[in-house]
Amino acid sequence: MKILKNVVIVNPGEKPYKGFVTIEKDKFISVSPGDPKSQGIPEEDGCGGWLLPGLVNTHGHAGSSILRGAGDDMALDTWLKTVMWPNESKFTEETVKAATNLAMAEMIKSGTTTFLDMYHLFVDQFAERIADTGLKAVLGRGMIAFGTEEEKQSRLEASKHLIQQFHGSADGRLHIAVTPHAPYTCPPEFMLKAVELALDKNVLFHTHCAETKKEVEEHYSTYGIHPVDHLHKLGAYSGKSLLAHAVHVTEAHIDLFAAHKVSISHNPMSNLKLGSGIAPVAEMIKRKVNVSIGTDSTASNNSLDMVEEMRMAALLPKGRQEDPTVTNADQSFSAATVGGARALHLNKTGMLKPGWFADMILIDPKGLHLQPQSLEKIKSHILYAMKSSDIQSVWIHGKQLLKNRELTTLDEEKIIYEANIQAQKLR
Ligand SMILES: [Zn+2]
């Protein structure tokens, strides 16, 4: 058991207050105002820092982190076909290892404690490294239904194997989702098999959907239906469902998401950088759709920094609708924490609460950009002023993964070296 005292407790939906937390093994046993009564329990002084739930990134592709800066300023389909897929075809196990290590280190240092990742190469090895590193994740085998029937079947088998091998492993930190890439890369008969697998195993179904206008137009011309409606017809919303992007959707689709409890992973930076558009998230939130936040990959973002991403998610709807009142700081903070955990169907994650998992980040509030200070201003500062470099410490399931900006389970210097070596090899 241990105590972290002299902190400001900052939860989504609550007013910040000065207090302390008591942790036993992987969970909080108390989250309380004031000071702890000394009972011989080891105490750590948070020095007045702000204690937040860890950030939850609900969409990414860590395996392609090595392609940061490769192919900027291109449309999604050109970028996939001329940069991503040709480069990824040359990836070896070492490339993916260097990329995923780079992503994990970047995520921890920017306050992400839980993430969803969809990738098609060396997912087993990544799962094992996540388990060793101490992060919490939902992993899926990214499936594109090109190639022979055997090849398609082997991708479904790989998903099944992942579920059997890793779902619920690493003391409950590792979960598996079924992740077909998108309706435009997975024809309906394959998508249906993916939907059935997710339902059969009662795991999360996650795919890219309605990311660009072109995708929607081509889907209409091929199948005569919008991809969001097509997924509905295939039964994709009858279990646990999370769609990435949902940029080009109608009000009827938003009602459909609300009715079927489909969560959305809003990826504002990636959507802006690829010129895909701006998802109507204020309308989604208004109609009680659970909107979470994701970075997408460093090849389309180009960072995994959830602090920046939640700020962008807070600002964009204001500009889009020319109305600063359509979103507020607390909504985006909630989407980046407990809303993300809800989207991933992870229990007891995303808030500082007794009985919940001790996933938390400690912010050093001494920076010039975080002044002047008062309890009332903390959430505003977190959303509109904080930088991820203000994050001092990170704990996941009670274990400290970042201590005074130093990674405790990963070797940062080695990761930077390996990432550059592997990127050079690709060139
Ligand atoms: Zn993506």
Short mmCIF file of all heavy atoms in Angstrom, two decimals, residues 9 14 50 60 192 280-281 285 316 319 323 352 356 359 365 372 394 415 421:
data_model
loop_
_atom_site.label_atom_id
_atom_site.label_comp_id
_atom_site.label_asym_id
_atom_site.label_seq_id
_atom_site.Cartn_x
_atom_site.Cartn_y
_atom_site.Cartn_z
N ILE A 9 -6.64 16.77 -6.93
CA ILE A 9 -7.35 15.69 -7.62
C ILE A 9 -8.21 16.32 -8.73
O ILE A 9 -9.08 17.15 -8.44
CB ILE A 9 -8.29 14.93 -6.64
CG1 ILE A 9 -7.54 14.46 -5.38
CG2 ILE A 9 -9.04 13.81 -7.35
CD1 ILE A 9 -6.65 13.29 -5.54
N GLU A 14 -15.95 16.75 -12.28
CA GLU A 14 -15.92 17.15 -10.87
C GLU A 14 -15.06 18.40 -10.71
O GLU A 14 -14.17 18.65 -11.51
CB GLU A 14 -15.26 16.04 -10.01
CG GLU A 14 -16.07 14.79 -9.89
CD GLU A 14 -15.31 13.69 -9.13
OE1 GLU A 14 -14.19 13.95 -8.61
OE2 GLU A 14 -15.84 12.57 -9.06
N TRP A 50 -0.86 18.45 -9.99
CA TRP A 50 -2.24 18.08 -10.35
C TRP A 50 -2.25 16.61 -10.74
O TRP A 50 -1.49 16.19 -11.61
CB TRP A 50 -2.73 18.90 -11.55
CG TRP A 50 -2.60 20.38 -11.38
CD1 TRP A 50 -2.50 21.09 -10.22
CD2 TRP A 50 -2.55 21.36 -12.44
NE1 TRP A 50 -2.39 22.43 -10.47
CE2 TRP A 50 -2.43 22.62 -11.82
CE3 TRP A 50 -2.60 21.29 -13.83
CZ2 TRP A 50 -2.35 23.80 -12.56
CZ3 TRP A 50 -2.53 22.46 -14.57
CH2 TRP A 50 -2.41 23.70 -13.93
N GLY A 60 -4.83 4.19 -33.08
CA GLY A 60 -3.47 4.41 -33.56
C GLY A 60 -2.90 3.20 -34.26
O GLY A 60 -3.53 2.13 -34.31
N LEU A 192 -18.48 -9.04 -42.78
CA LEU A 192 -19.47 -9.82 -42.02
C LEU A 192 -18.77 -10.86 -41.14
O LEU A 192 -19.14 -11.05 -39.97
CB LEU A 192 -20.45 -10.49 -43.00
CG LEU A 192 -21.57 -11.29 -42.36
CD1 LEU A 192 -22.49 -10.40 -41.51
CD2 LEU A 192 -22.40 -11.99 -43.44
N PRO A 280 -18.33 15.96 -37.03
CA PRO A 280 -19.31 16.78 -36.29
C PRO A 280 -19.46 16.35 -34.84
O PRO A 280 -20.51 15.89 -34.41
CB PRO A 280 -20.61 16.55 -37.08
CG PRO A 280 -20.45 15.20 -37.68
CD PRO A 280 -18.98 14.98 -37.92
N VAL A 281 -18.40 16.52 -34.05
CA VAL A 281 -18.40 15.95 -32.70
C VAL A 281 -19.31 16.70 -31.72
O VAL A 281 -19.86 16.09 -30.81
CB VAL A 281 -16.98 15.80 -32.10
CG1 VAL A 281 -16.24 14.70 -32.78
CG2 VAL A 281 -16.21 17.08 -32.16
N ILE A 285 -21.89 14.80 -29.36
CA ILE A 285 -21.94 14.91 -27.89
C ILE A 285 -23.34 15.36 -27.45
O ILE A 285 -23.91 14.83 -26.50
CB ILE A 285 -20.85 15.87 -27.39
CG1 ILE A 285 -19.46 15.26 -27.62
CG2 ILE A 285 -21.02 16.21 -25.90
CD1 ILE A 285 -18.29 16.21 -27.44
N LEU A 316 -11.65 22.74 -32.24
CA LEU A 316 -12.18 22.61 -33.61
C LEU A 316 -13.69 22.88 -33.75
O LEU A 316 -14.09 23.62 -34.64
CB LEU A 316 -11.89 21.21 -34.16
CG LEU A 316 -10.68 21.05 -35.06
CD1 LEU A 316 -10.69 19.64 -35.64
CD2 LEU A 316 -10.67 22.06 -36.19
N GLY A 319 -14.54 26.57 -33.88
CA GLY A 319 -14.26 27.20 -35.16
C GLY A 319 -15.21 26.74 -36.26
O GLY A 319 -15.69 27.53 -37.06
N ASP A 323 -18.96 29.17 -32.99
CA ASP A 323 -19.68 29.30 -31.72
C ASP A 323 -18.81 28.71 -30.61
O ASP A 323 -18.64 27.49 -30.54
CB ASP A 323 -21.02 28.53 -31.83
CG ASP A 323 -21.82 28.61 -30.54
OD1 ASP A 323 -21.33 29.20 -29.54
OD2 ASP A 323 -22.94 28.07 -30.53
N LEU A 352 -10.18 8.92 -11.20
CA LEU A 352 -9.51 8.64 -9.92
C LEU A 352 -10.63 8.36 -8.92
O LEU A 352 -11.29 9.29 -8.43
CB LEU A 352 -8.68 9.86 -9.47
CG LEU A 352 -7.75 10.48 -10.51
CD1 LEU A 352 -7.11 11.76 -9.98
CD2 LEU A 352 -6.65 9.50 -10.92
N TRP A 356 -11.18 1.76 -8.54
CA TRP A 356 -10.81 1.85 -9.96
C TRP A 356 -9.30 1.65 -10.11
O TRP A 356 -8.53 1.81 -9.17
CB TRP A 356 -11.23 3.22 -10.55
CG TRP A 356 -12.71 3.31 -10.81
CD1 TRP A 356 -13.71 2.83 -10.00
CD2 TRP A 356 -13.35 3.90 -11.94
NE1 TRP A 356 -14.94 3.09 -10.56
CE2 TRP A 356 -14.75 3.74 -11.75
CE3 TRP A 356 -12.90 4.54 -13.09
CZ2 TRP A 356 -15.69 4.21 -12.68
CZ3 TRP A 356 -13.84 5.01 -14.01
CH2 TRP A 356 -15.21 4.84 -13.81
N ASP A 359 -4.50 4.31 -12.70
CA ASP A 359 -3.86 4.84 -13.91
C ASP A 359 -3.91 6.36 -13.74
O ASP A 359 -4.99 6.96 -13.79
CB ASP A 359 -4.65 4.46 -15.16
CG ASP A 359 -4.79 2.95 -15.35
OD1 ASP A 359 -4.00 2.21 -14.73
OD2 ASP A 359 -5.67 2.54 -16.12
N PRO A 365 2.82 21.94 -11.95
CA PRO A 365 2.10 23.15 -12.33
C PRO A 365 2.93 24.43 -12.26
O PRO A 365 2.37 25.52 -12.23
CB PRO A 365 0.97 23.18 -11.30
CG PRO A 365 1.57 22.55 -10.08
CD PRO A 365 2.67 21.62 -10.52
N PRO A 372 -1.72 32.66 -14.05
CA PRO A 372 -1.91 32.48 -12.62
C PRO A 372 -2.82 31.29 -12.34
O PRO A 372 -3.55 30.83 -13.20
CB PRO A 372 -2.60 33.79 -12.21
CG PRO A 372 -3.30 34.25 -13.44
CD PRO A 372 -2.50 33.77 -14.60
N VAL A 394 3.97 9.12 -14.29
CA VAL A 394 2.85 8.34 -14.84
C VAL A 394 2.82 6.98 -14.13
O VAL A 394 3.86 6.35 -13.97
CB VAL A 394 3.04 8.12 -16.37
CG1 VAL A 394 2.00 7.16 -16.92
CG2 VAL A 394 3.01 9.45 -17.13
N ILE A 415 16.04 3.51 -27.63
CA ILE A 415 14.87 3.57 -28.51
C ILE A 415 15.10 4.60 -29.63
O ILE A 415 14.80 4.34 -30.80
CB ILE A 415 13.60 3.89 -27.68
CG1 ILE A 415 13.18 2.64 -26.90
CG2 ILE A 415 12.46 4.37 -28.58
CD1 ILE A 415 12.10 2.86 -25.87
N ILE A 421 18.21 4.00 -36.77
CA ILE A 421 18.86 2.93 -37.54
C ILE A 421 17.84 2.28 -38.49
O ILE A 421 18.10 2.09 -39.67
CB ILE A 421 19.45 1.84 -36.58
CG1 ILE A 421 20.61 2.43 -35.78
CG2 ILE A 421 19.83 0.57 -37.32
CD1 ILE A 421 21.89 2.65 -36.56
#
